[in-house]
Amino acid sequence: MSIIKLHDKYFKTYITAEKIAEAVHILVEQVSKDCKNDTPLFIGVLNGSFMFVADFIRQYKYNCEVSFVKLASYQGTNSTGKIKQLVGNNENLEGRTVIILEDIIDTGNTLEEIYKIFKDKNVKQLKIATLFFKPDVFKKELPIDYIGIPIPDKFIVGYGLDYNGIGRNLADIYQLTSKPTMKNILLFGPPGVGKGTQADRLKEKYNLIHISTGDVFRSHIKKESELGILAKSFIDKGNLVPDDVTIKMLKSVVNNVPDSSGIIFDGFPRTEIQAKTLDEFMEEKGETIGGMIAIEVPTNLLVSRLLERGKTSGRLDDQDENKILNRFNEYFTKTAVLKEYYRAQNTYYGPGNTVLKQQFL
Ligand code: IMP
Ligand code: MG
C-alpha cells in the first residue's frame, strides 16, 4: 500500500490486482453463461479497456470474436468537439450478439454515444459489461448488463485507466487522495553510520520529529518497563527486537508525536514486514514516506567507531566486537534488502551499490 504522485495529484492504493482479477473472473462466468451458445463479438472501448479486455478474453472459453473501437471527438470543421465518432467499427454487425467491454462507466455519456451508434446496425442484441461503475453519478436510463465493481464517485487510475495520459500501466487501482503534508523520511544504514548525528541536523533545519526506535527501546530499558525488559533480552545480544513488538511500539510513538512538518524514522523499518506495515500505517493517516536516505561507511571504520562510542554510551551492544558483528549480520541479512523495497517505489536515495556487503562478507 502506498501513495503515488501522477502529474500534480496524489493517489492511494484502492483495489488490488487480486481483487480486480476476481471481479474479471466473475464477469467472465456471467457472460459465458448467457452467451456460450452464440459467437458473441466483444468490442472493447479504447483506450482504457485494453487491459480489462485482454484479461477477460483470455478467460473466455467459448467461441467469440474481439474488436476494438475508439470514441473520438469529431475533429474537422466542428469546433465544439461534442460530436463523437466511433473509430475502428467496420464490421457488419447484422444479427450479431455484440457485447461492449468498458473499463469504467461514470456519467454514462460515453455509453449513450455507443448506444446511438449501434442503434441502427440491426444487431441481434447489444449488451454492456463494465469493470467499474460509479452508481452515484450515472444519470442515464440505459441498461448495464454486467457490472464488475461499483465504486464511489472518486477518480481512479491504473489497470488501463489514466490520469492525463499516465498511470495506465499500474497493476492495481489507485484512488485520488489529498496531498500528503508531512515530510517523512527514513534514515538508513548500518549501526554506527551516523544516523543519529544526521537526524539531529535535519530535525533542526526542517522542523521534524526524530524517532529512533533504538532510543525508545533504551528509554524503556532504563525505566525497566515490561517492554524494556523484553527488548533488552534481544538488544544486548545484538539481535533485532521481533517485528510485532517493534511495530506496536512505533505506532504508539507516532500516534503521540506533537505536530511537526514530518518525522525522521531512524532504525525503523528494519525488516520488510516493518516496511510494509509502515506504508499502510502512513497511508491510513493520508501520509507517505517521502524517501529513504541511505548512508554508507566502510564496515571496518564502523566497528572502530562503535567501539569508541561504547566507551561513553554505556551501550552493552557497543562494547563487544562479537555483538557488533552480529548487529552487522542482522543488518545485512534482514535490513539491507529494504533498499530494494524503496528503490522499487522510487524513493531510495543513496549509494547504488552493494560494496559494503561484499566487504563485510
Ligand atoms: P462517462 O462519464 O461514463 O462517459 O465516462 C467517460 C470516460 O471518462 C471513461 O470512459 C473514462 O475514460 C473516463 N473516466 C471516468 N471516470 C474515470 C476515472 O475515475 N478514472 C479514469 N478515467 C475515468
Ligand atoms: Mg473508457
Side-chain angles (χ1 to χ4, degrees):
M1 302 279 254
S2 60
I3 293 185
I4 55 166
K5 189 177 182 203
L6 299 174
H7 295 303
D8 56 328
K9 300 228 183 307
Y10 294 84
F11 296 85
K12 61 176 177 184
T13 332
Y14 178 47
I15 303 171
T16 61
E18 291 79 46
K19 287 265 179 298
I20 298 169
E22 273 171 34
V24 173
H25 183 75
I26 292 170
L27 284 172
V28 171
E29 288 197 331
Q30 291 172 341
V31 175
S32 301
K33 201 166 131 254
D34 294 349
C35 301
K36 61 183 170 199
N37 298 322
D38 230 332
T39 299
L41 170 63
F42 292 113
I43 301 186
V45 184
L46 292 173
N47 292 330
S49 74
F50 71 95
M51 242 189 231
F52 169 45
V53 175
D55 285 348
F56 183 101
I57 294 298
R58 216 191 327 250
Q59 289 189 51
Y60 190 83
K61 295 285 179 290
Y62 306 95
N63 285 343
C64 65
E65 290 177 25
V66 187
S67 184
F68 287 92
V69 292
K70 186 169 173 139
L71 207 55
S73 296
Y74 181 72
Q75 299 295 312
T77 54
N78 185 293
S79 59
T80 65
K82 282 207 175 118
I83 298 173
K84 296 281 175 73
Q85 196 188 28
L86 211 49
V87 185
N89 169 41
N90 307 317
E91 278 113 323
N92 178 6
L93 301 178
E94 205 171 321
R96 301 295 309 270
T97 289
V98 175
I99 302 185
I100 304 291
L101 296 180
E102 264 285 26
D103 45 345
I104 186 163
I105 296 178
D106 187 290
T107 61
N109 288 337
T110 312
L111 185 65
E112 189 169 55
E113 297 296 333
I114 286 171
Y115 258 100
K116 274 189 212 152
I117 289 157
F118 283 92
K119 204 174 52 193
D120 29 68
K121 303 267 182 200
N122 289 325
V123 298
K124 180 166 135 199
Q125 54 177 344
L126 177 65
K127 291 190 163 197
I128 312 291
T130 186
L131 180 56
F132 300 109
F133 176 55
K134 295 182 180 170
D136 300 340
V137 270
F138 185 66
K139 302 246 169 48
K140 313 288 176 188
E141 296 287 321
L142 300 167
I144 303 174
D145 304 271
Y146 309 98
I147 293 173
I149 307 177
I151 56 169
D153 179 23
K154 277 211 177 148
F155 194 81
I156 58 170
V157 288
Y159 196 72
L161 294 164
D162 70 310
Y163 167 53
N164 276 356
I166 59 174
R168 295 192 196 275
N169 54 329
L170 299 163
D172 300 314
I173 289 285
Y174 288 74
Q175 187 185 56
L176 187 64
T177 188
S178 53
K179 181 180 192 297
T181 54
M182 292 168 81
K183 252 192 215 83
N184 300 310
I185 58 174
L186 308 181
L187 271 182
F188 194 76
V193 85
K195 299 187 288 290
T197 309
Q198 298 308 324
D200 283 344
R201 294 181 181 172
L202 290 168
K203 75 177 180 192
E204 287 304 315
K205 188 156 180 190
Y206 298 104
N207 181 32
L208 305 174
I209 300 283
H210 174 206
I211 299 179
S212 153
T213 39
D215 287 350
V216 179
F217 280 131
R218 279 184 290 275
S219 85
H220 276 275
I221 292 171
K222 216 167 161 187
K223 283 187 283 190
E224 296 184 343
S225 72
E226 206 178 312
L227 174 63
I229 293 163
L230 178 65
K232 188 171 163 54
S233 62
F234 296 95
I235 293 176
D236 280 354
K237 295 192 196 97
N239 292 333
L240 290 186
V241 180
D243 285 333
D244 52 343
V245 180
T246 310
I247 288 167
K248 197 167 151 216
M249 183 205 71
L250 180 102
K251 284 188 177 177
S252 137
V253 174
V254 172
N255 283 333
N256 289 297
V257 292
D259 280 348
S260 68
S261 308
I263 298 174
I264 301 173
F265 293 91
D266 160 2
F268 187 93
R270 289 201 182 196
T271 63
E272 199 155 328
I273 291 173
Q274 291 180 10
K276 285 187 181 142
T277 309
L278 182 62
D279 274 346
E280 283 168 19
F281 182 50
M282 284 289 119
E283 203 202 301
E284 282 165 23
K285 297 178 170 301
E287 290 298 333
T288 186
I289 298 296
M292 165 196 267
I293 301 174
I295 316 170
E296 288 184 3
V297 166
T299 310
N300 54 343
L301 276 180
L302 290 175
V303 176
S304 52
R305 278 165 65 160
L306 287 170
L307 287 170
E308 193 59 33
R309 183 171 80 182
K311 290 179 188 163
T312 52
S313 70
R315 289 179 53 171
L316 290 178
D317 61 345
D318 278 352
Q319 293 168 20
D320 174 336
E321 190 156 345
N322 283 329
K323 283 175 188 161
I324 290 174
L325 290 178
N326 192 41
R327 284 158 71 197
F328 286 131
N329 189 40
E330 292 277 76
Y331 174 80
F332 285 117
T333 54
K334 297 178 185 164
T335 308
V337 289
L338 292 183
K339 288 183 206 170
E340 297 314 316
Y341 180 88
Y342 291 97
R343 215 194 294 274
Q345 298 189 2
N346 272 330
T347 49
Y348 170 81
Y349 301 89
N353 56 50
T354 50
V355 173
L356 286 179
K357 180 170 183 183
Q358 284 156 14
Q359 280 177 359
F360 177 70
L361 299 173

